[in-house]
Amino acid sequence: MGRRGAGVFISFEGIDGSGKSTQARLLAEALGPDTVLTREPGGSAGAEEIRRLLVEGAPARWSPETEILLFTAARRDHLEKTIGPALAAGRIVITDRFADSTRVYQGAARAARRPLVDRLHALMIGIEPDLTFLIDMDPASALERGLARRSGEDRFEDLGLDFQKTLRAGFLALAQAQPARITVIDGARAAHVVANDILARYRAWCTA
Ligand code: ADP
Ligand code: TYD
């Protein structure tokens, strides 16, 4: 199982409030205690510090270039300290967001900076998940879910509904371009129904 020979690397992606965190947790619970559940930005001590710089404060706090560097720096630390060692030990790693988020949030939505995102990824990260679940849903409903739990981490969510629509389209375009890796999941269903769908697709992928 998995193309890397050791461990399986799974990411969850989608717009804010789509239910990624909920589904990442439910899959980790279903796959057992040896599974590593992690998130971005964050997932290691250093990357969690960088997360605070990224998600708090005014939307225009960083230039697009600085923001890409910060997300990439956080991902590099997450990879070195958490993801890499766990995969080398043969574990299943489930991350709530990974590089597709940067491709879409920084590369497609805020400015036409996708080439910079791709070059930095190739230079500093260089790996893709074995399997990505894109939790897709209508941005208006997702935004309602997100705003219901305001957390002080709203720098991106404050960017509004049009932004979320652009993000959704960006994620779906990635899924269309890489159908072998990215599975689109309808997130507008009860959490346990979505979770059962994801578990079934994971099991099918393992035996494929
Ligand atoms: P994300 O990580 O994509 O932002 P969360 O998993 O944190 O999303 O979910 C956002 C909010 O919506 C939370 O309050 C969560 O309890 C709720 N939620 C998650 N999944 C569902 C679902 N399938 N149906 C209804 N509410 C949900
Ligand atoms: P996250 O904690 O996943 O937020 P949510 O639970 O609301 O989906 O991520 C924080 C914000 O950071 C989120 O709005 C998406 C954004 N983000 C990027 O812009 N680029 C990235 O590379 C990553 C990983 C996240």
Side-chain angles (χ1 to χ4, degrees):
M1 41 179 220
R3 291 187 300 270
R4 208 169 277 104
V8 183
F9 185 24
I10 302 169
S11 66
F12 280 79
E13 297 282 3
I15 60 175
D16 304 275
S18 58
K20 294 175 309 298
S21 312
T22 303
Q23 294 305 325
R25 178 174 51 76
L26 291 173
L27 183 63
E29 284 170 12
L31 298 183
D34 204 38
T35 306
V36 175
L37 176 61
T38 186
R39 69 158 182 187
E40 290 204 351
S44 60
E48 290 289 337
E49 287 192 36
I50 297 171
R51 176 190 178 93
R52 279 194 289 281
L53 298 176
L54 281 161
V55 300
E56 294 173 8
R61 181 177 186 183
W62 306 112
S63 76
E65 288 76 12
T66 307
E67 187 173 275
I68 293 167
L69 287 167
L70 287 169
F71 276 113
T72 306
R75 181 161 305 127
R76 175 75 197 201
D77 194 66
H78 186 207
L79 194 57
E80 287 176 5
K81 306 278 171 49
T82 304
I83 298 172
L87 290 177
R91 300 175 75 177
I92 300 172
V93 175
I94 298 176
T95 184
D96 179 354
R97 297 194 184 280
F98 193 66
D100 293 325
S101 282
T102 318
R103 293 180 180 116
V104 170
Y105 281 76
Q106 281 70 46
R110 302 194 85 192
R113 295 214 164 56
R114 181 65 192 277
L116 180 58
V117 169
D118 288 345
R119 285 166 70 190
L120 269 176
H121 181 82
L123 272 173
M124 287 295 150
I125 309 298
I127 74 165
E128 298 297 338
D130 297 302
L131 187 59
T132 295
F133 292 109
L134 169 57
I135 313 295
D136 178 58
M137 71 177 289
D138 165 51
S141 326
L143 200 62
E144 257 169 50
R145 285 184 188 172
L147 293 178
R149 49 134 213 201
R150 291 202 82 99
S151 61
E153 288 196 342
D154 298 327
R155 187 169 160 259
F156 288 85
E157 286 169 18
D158 282 351
L159 293 169
L161 190 57
D162 281 349
F163 182 64
Q164 299 291 335
K165 286 182 182 164
T166 307
L167 296 173
R168 182 192 200 186
F171 277 122
L172 288 171
L174 278 185
Q176 221 170 17
Q178 300 182 57
R181 174 172 68 85
I182 305 176
T183 296
V184 181
I185 300 287
D186 173 10
R189 299 172 290 171
H192 73 278
V193 176
V194 178
N196 286 340
D197 188 3
I198 289 171
L199 189 58
R201 286 169 191 253
Y202 172 73
R203 298 221 187 281
W205 176 84
C206 286
T207 55

